[in-house]
Amino acid sequence: DESGAYQFSSMRPGSYTAVASKEGFISQWVYLAVVGGVTRTDFDITLSRPLGEGYRFVLTWGETPVDLDSHLVTPLIEGLAYEVRWNNRGSLDAPPYANLDVDDQVSYGPETVTIAANYDGTYRYAVYAWSTDALLSQSQARVVLYSGDQILRQWSVPGAGTGRWWYVCDLNAVTAAVQSVNSLQDDPPSGMSPSLVGATKPGTVRGTR
């Protein structure tokens, strides 16, 4: 409908693909597993506008954990490496030429990290489970990497493993080479930490720093 809600009823059990498209946006899809006698309501689809020459990471997840965080570490930019995250969201017009649009603390997302200028070297992307009300492996989290007007790669959070960090991938923004890591771990990827020293999220006591 006009709000984007969709519904399929009387479907036979099996595997399906749902595709969403809208003029001016990049088409997106989700895989649907239909089981007899079960109604699912968590198959959201997020559409993104074309980027030109940049890159965009889009994180979505389920109801729990309620608060997941996107993290991006840049290569050296004018002699410095930067970490883009909830309390250091960056800028598209100045170093690090990358930005986190919003820090979603109430489930589902999306959280979007956009890279506006492509520097040589490794961009590292990961997700941190700030809240501890559920395991990261049970979050139904999904990351889509866009390049220009297309989807470059997609990842679903591993269903096995422990740890509050989901190390998704490394990206060379100049060559568009992607090294998929897709692993859960206890230690943060190189250059990352959950928050700045002494910082806490306003209005929440979920998780630890």
Side-chain angles (χ1 to χ4, degrees):
D1 59 19
E2 63 276 3
S3 67
Y6 71 95
Q7 175 179 313
F8 298 101
S9 59
S10 302
M11 298 177 67
R12 295 180 61 84
S15 298
Y16 296 83
T17 302
V19 181
S21 61
K22 180 178 176 61
E23 184 176 355
F25 291 82
I26 303 169
S27 296
Q28 179 59 278
W29 63 89
V30 293
Y31 300 111
L32 311 176
V34 177
V35 180
V38 176
T39 299
R40 296 289 297 274
T41 59
D42 54 356
F43 289 109
D44 290 343
I45 302 176
T46 300
L47 299 184
S48 183
R49 293 186 181 275
L51 280 165
E53 296 183 357
Y55 295 85
R56 178 175 293 145
F57 289 94
V58 178
L59 166 67
T60 56
W61 66 97
E63 185 176 3
T64 57
V66 296
D67 191 359
L68 299 186
D69 289 334
S70 294
H71 289 250
L72 178 77
V73 171
T74 72
L76 291 179
I77 298 174
E78 300 174 10
L80 295 174
Y82 297 82
E83 183 184 9
V84 175
R85 57 187 175 188
W86 67 272
N87 53 2
N88 190 25
R89 289 165 53 183
S91 170
L92 298 179
D93 302 316
Y97 303 105
N99 171 258
L100 169 66
D101 66 335
V102 65
D103 172 32
D104 190 323
Q105 302 179 41
V106 289
S107 303
Y108 305 111
E111 287 195 5
T112 299
V113 176
T114 301
I115 300 172
N118 304 331
Y119 282 80
D120 193 24
T122 298
Y123 288 83
R124 184 170 296 114
Y125 180 83
V127 175
Y128 179 71
W130 181 278
S131 56
T132 57
D133 49 323
L135 296 175
L136 183 53
S137 60
Q138 299 172 345
S139 65
Q140 303 172 47
R142 186 165 178 253
V143 170
V144 181
L145 172 59
Y146 296 89
S147 174
D149 61 353
Q150 63 182 343
I151 296 171
L152 191 59
R153 292 289 295 272
Q154 299 186 68
W155 296 267
S156 294
V157 67
T162 60
R164 295 174 66 179
W165 285 98
W166 174 24
Y167 186 176
V168 179
C169 72
D170 292 341
L171 166 69
N172 186 309
V174 173
T175 66
V178 178
Q179 180 179 350
S180 180
V181 180
N182 199 31
S183 69
L184 298 178
Q185 56 192 56
D186 293 315
D187 296 326
S190 178
M192 295 186 185
S193 63
S195 65
L196 294 173
V197 175
T200 58
K201 286 197 174 182
T204 180
V205 295
R206 297 186 295 270
T208 59
R209 296 193 297 277

